[in-house]
Amino acid sequence: TNFPYPWYITQVRNSLWAEWSKRMPKTTGLSVLVSFNIDRYGAVYAVQIEKSSGNDSYDYAATSAVQNSAPYPPLPKGFGKDILTVTVEFKNED
């Protein structure tokens, strides 16, 4: 919220989707909420599950998608912080 660089979020989302689509489990009806930080240089750290799907394999696939989609481009120069915290819901709907 209040991140004024939609083009950057689109790049992050596209990278996440590319990785999630490779490892997305066949199980439908589940979702997991994952948060992570992106540092000024585009590195990802502090990946954690905010709300588990209840399925360890599903949760692992989501956190792996985050870790493997990095690094991202550096944070926009105009962004006044050194860290961007992102929260993403991963789900597989049929």
Side-chain angles (χ1 to χ4, degrees), residues 3 5-19 36 38 42 44 65-66 69-76 84 86-88 90:
F3 185 73
Y5 304 96
W7 56 267
Y8 188 85
I9 295 301
T10 298
Q11 288 180 335
V12 170
R13 185 179 300 137
N14 290 344
S15 294
L16 285 168
W17 174 250
E19 290 299 323
F36 58 97
I38 302 173
V44 167
V66 170
S69 65
Y72 298 110
L75 292 175
L84 174 64
V86 178
T87 303
V88 179
F90 291 88

Side-chain angles (χ1 to χ4, degrees), residues 31-35 48-53 87-90:
S31 70
V32 57
L33 200 60
V34 178
S35 69
Q48 61 184 21
I49 295 171
E50 295 294 326
K51 184 178 179 197
S52 174
S53 67
T87 303
V88 179
E89 180 182 21
F90 291 88

Side-chain angles (χ1 to χ4, degrees), residues 19-67:
E19 290 299 323
W20 177 239
S21 62
K22 290 179 195 175
R23 53 185 47 81
M24 182 173 31
K26 302 284 186 224
T27 308
T28 59
L30 296 178
S31 70
V32 57
L33 200 60
V34 178
S35 69
F36 58 97
N37 293 330
I38 302 173
D39 75 9
R40 169 106 356 243
Y41 305 102
V44 167
Y45 66 97
V47 178
Q48 61 184 21
I49 295 171
E50 295 294 326
K51 184 178 179 197
S52 174
S53 67
N55 180 307
D56 290 341
S57 298
Y58 200 90
D59 293 356
Y60 179 76
T63 56
S64 293
V66 170
Q67 292 164 338

Side-chain angles (χ1 to χ4, degrees), residues 70-84:
Y72 298 110
L75 292 175
K77 291 184 193 238
F79 184 57
K81 298 180 181 177
D82 290 331
I83 297 166
L84 174 64

